[in-house]
């Protein structure tokens, strides 16, 4: 993204440093030079070296965590997906970098509902609820870590509670209809049986 820049030392980060030590490494990479257009990537760094020699360089391949990736995940999982980066402020805050929901709505929801400190815990994911576009969304948030283990951002997978309950509501309506139909059929059968029994009884009484 910055082809005019060169002779800049980037070897201090774990992604590059570990690759220069001869190990293939992977982790998140963040570009936050422009606070209004923060970008988050998943990167893999591979050492460049002759056989048996020390690495002379590093090849880094990165994949952007953006709207396109979020849409692809949504098609496979039927879940709303949000990727966010954490700012380097004294109190880190989540900034949406891609997703299937409008960033203008997701940003305030993340700021108010997501506990940033919980992302660094050992737990796999953090539960989160949000009200967006008139829907009650529930989901899980997980960390996206750098090659050194630092939390650079995270992902959020959300499902609509109303949509999830729709199947249950449809099943409940079907069950109620089946029960009502069963009661009607039982009453009808009982009435027919009663008439069949009542005929011989009347003739016997006569």
């Amino acid at each position: 993204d910055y082809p005019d820049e060169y002779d800049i030392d980037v070897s201090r980060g774990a992604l590059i440093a570990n690759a220069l030590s001869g190990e293939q490494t992977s982790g998140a990479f963040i570009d936050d030079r422009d606070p209004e257009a923060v970008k988050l990537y998943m990167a893999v760094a591979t050492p460049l070296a002759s056989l048996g020699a020390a690495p002379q360089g590093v090849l880094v391949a990165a994949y952007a965590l953006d709207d396109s990736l979020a849409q692809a995940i949504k098609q496979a999982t039927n879940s709303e997906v949000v990727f966010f980066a954490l700012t380097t402020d004294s109190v880190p805050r989540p900034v949406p970098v891609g997703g299937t929901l409008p960033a203008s709505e997701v940003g305030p929801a993340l700021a108010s509902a997501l506990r940033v400190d919980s992302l660094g815990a050992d737990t796999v994911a953090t539960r989160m609820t949000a009200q967006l576009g008139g829907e009650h969304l529930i989901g899980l948030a997980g960390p996206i870590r750098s090659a050194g283990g630092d939390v650079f951002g995270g992902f959020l997978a959300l499902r609509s509670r109303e949509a999830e309950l729709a199947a249950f509501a449809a099943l409940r309506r079907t069950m109620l209809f089946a029960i009502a139909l069963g009661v009607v059929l039982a009453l009808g059968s009982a009435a027919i049986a009663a008439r069949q029994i009542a005929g011989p009884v009347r003739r016997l009484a006569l």
Side-chain angles (χ1 to χ4, degrees):
D1 292 338
Y2 309 102
D4 296 333
E5 297 184 4
Y6 57 92
D7 291 338
I8 298 174
D9 184 6
V10 294
S11 64
R12 289 174 292 180
L15 184 70
I16 305 298
N18 292 346
L20 287 173
S21 298
E23 300 178 7
Q24 179 170 310
T25 57
S26 62
F29 177 82
I30 189 170
D31 180 0
D32 57 357
R33 296 189 184 191
D34 184 357
E36 301 300 324
V38 178
K39 299 177 183 178
L40 188 64
Y41 302 88
M42 287 302 297
V44 176
T46 301
L48 299 177
S50 300
L51 185 62
Q56 300 299 305
V58 175
L59 171 66
V60 179
Y63 196 93
L65 303 179
D66 55 12
D67 293 346
S68 298
L69 179 59
Q71 289 291 347
I73 296 175
K74 180 179 180 178
Q75 290 179 1
T77 64
N78 199 30
S79 298
E80 301 292 350
V81 179
V82 176
F83 297 115
F84 59 90
L86 295 180
T87 64
T88 55
D89 303 336
S90 56
V91 179
R93 56 185 178 83
V95 177
V97 296
T100 58
L101 297 169
S104 58
E105 296 182 11
V106 173
L110 281 173
S112 61
L114 180 65
R115 289 182 53 198
V116 174
D117 56 342
S118 66
L119 290 174
D122 293 333
T123 54
V124 176
T126 301
R127 187 175 182 275
M128 177 181 165
T129 61
Q131 191 80 19
L132 293 174
E135 286 189 302
H136 191 108
L137 300 176
I138 54 177
L140 296 174
I144 295 176
R145 300 180 182 273
S146 69
D150 298 321
V151 179
F152 277 10
F155 64 88
L156 184 61
L158 294 163
R159 301 291 289 267
S160 169
R161 186 174 67 177
E162 289 77 6
E164 293 300 307
L165 291 177
F168 173 76
L171 177 61
R172 183 175 60 181
R173 288 193 298 269
T174 301
M175 292 179 64
L176 290 175
F177 175 76
I179 292 173
L181 181 60
V183 171
V184 171
L185 291 176
L187 290 174
S189 299
I192 294 173
R195 284 198 297 269
Q196 290 176 345
I197 295 174
V201 170
R202 283 197 299 271
R203 286 195 297 271
L204 183 60
L206 294 173

